[in-house]
Amino acid sequence: IFDTLFAGRDYPRFYALETIARVPYFSYTAALHFYETIGMWRKAKYLKIHFAEDWNEMHHLMIMESLGGAERWSDRFIAQHIGVGYYLLALGLYFWNPTMAYNLNEYVEEHAFLTYDQFVKDHGEELKAQPAPQVAVDYYRDGDLYMFDEFQTGSCEIRRPKMDNLYDVFAAIRDDEAQHVKTMAALQTETELSTAHDDSCEIPEELLGY
């Protein structure tokens, strides 16, 4: 659908994708807060991971906005209204069966990964000639990197993407989407996930970034 609606307009298409990509994580945290409020069960680790995933997707969205992806009112209208509908769907699905909710989002994130992977392959040289937006530099390199580390699960390895140009930005976003796929897949079979800041990992101080 997006390929038709946004034909020839990559940044508006990515803006719409990132607007919608945040929504499942809103749904998951809302459901988890509800379960905790009524005393059913508490999943503090899941809350932190899903918030970090949303934080990551929010910065993807801010990057697309900085590139002009949200300039048209019609693009914002389409993306935001689809996002509201998807929120309700993801919330209902999570209440009914969290595993199915994670499975659905795994496919959504896999589509995002393939989309960005093809984009960097098709436009690599053009992207390398353009500077990285400041919002990307702040998120991936110069800012507090704790939340960046927290959405990446199952490994003690620390990612520190280069941010020399726009190619590096889209390569980092692509790799983020791969991490989301990995986490969504793990959540369908595992009850406990680890992140780099767990006690089991030793991180060199020069990589902490905060």
Side-chain angles (χ1 to χ4, degrees):
I1 296 175
F2 282 170
D3 291 343
T4 302
L5 289 173
F6 299 100
R9 298 190 301 126
D10 289 317
Y11 295 154
R13 177 164 60 107
F14 297 154
Y15 162 80
L17 287 172
E18 296 300 344
T19 298
I20 296 164
R22 298 181 66 194
V23 163
Y25 306 117
F26 294 157
S27 301
Y28 304 160
T29 54
L32 290 166
H33 279 299
F34 175 80
Y35 283 132
E36 183 173 344
T37 299
I38 64 176
M40 286 185 62
W41 41 273
R42 176 178 293 156
K43 289 286 186 180
K45 185 74 172 183
Y46 282 24
L47 284 169
K48 183 167 71 168
I49 289 173
H50 291 326
F51 178 75
E53 288 172 317
D54 165 47
W55 190 254
N56 175 255
E57 298 287 12
M58 180 187 73
H59 282 84
H60 292 180
L61 179 63
M62 292 167 65
I63 290 167
M64 299 314 157
E65 290 173 342
S66 74
L67 294 172
E71 290 180 350
R72 291 189 186 181
W73 177 88
S74 58
D75 294 338
R76 299 194 302 274
F77 181 89
I78 291 169
Q80 292 163 2
H81 281 74
I82 293 175
V84 170
Y86 189 33
Y87 170 82
L88 296 174
L89 172 64
L91 181 63
L93 190 58
Y94 198 91
F95 277 128
W96 180 51
N97 188 324
T99 299
M100 290 189 66
Y102 290 137
N103 181 257
L104 173 62
N105 200 42
E106 179 187 355
Y107 285 107
V108 172
E109 296 289 12
E110 185 175 13
H111 171 73
F113 166 78
L114 294 172
T115 297
Y116 287 120
D117 187 53
Q118 191 62 51
F119 181 70
V120 297
K121 288 176 180 176
D122 291 344
H123 302 279
E125 294 307 313
E126 175 187 346
L127 294 171
K128 289 175 182 178
Q130 301 179 58
Q134 188 61 46
V135 63
V137 174
D138 291 342
Y139 176 64
Y140 285 109
R141 192 186 71 192
D142 294 347
D144 186 334
L145 298 173
Y146 179 84
M147 294 304 295
F148 175 68
D149 296 335
E150 279 299 299
F151 83 89
Q152 301 174 74
T153 61
S155 174
C156 292
E157 183 179 351
I158 294 293
R159 282 178 57 214
R160 291 294 179 261
K162 295 191 305 178
M163 280 294 119
D164 296 335
N165 49 54
L166 198 54
Y167 178 91
D168 293 338
V169 174
F170 278 98
I173 292 173
R174 175 202 60 197
D175 294 344
D176 291 349
E177 304 299 356
Q179 290 291 329
H180 290 307
V181 172
K182 176 182 174 182
T183 299
M184 291 299 103
L187 284 166
Q188 296 171 56
T189 58
E190 303 175 27
T191 57
E192 296 295 333
L193 297 182
S194 63
T195 66
H197 292 281
D198 290 347
D199 293 338
S200 59
C201 296
E202 295 185 7
I203 305 173
E205 289 188 8
E206 63 269 19
L207 294 180
L208 289 176
Y210 56 86

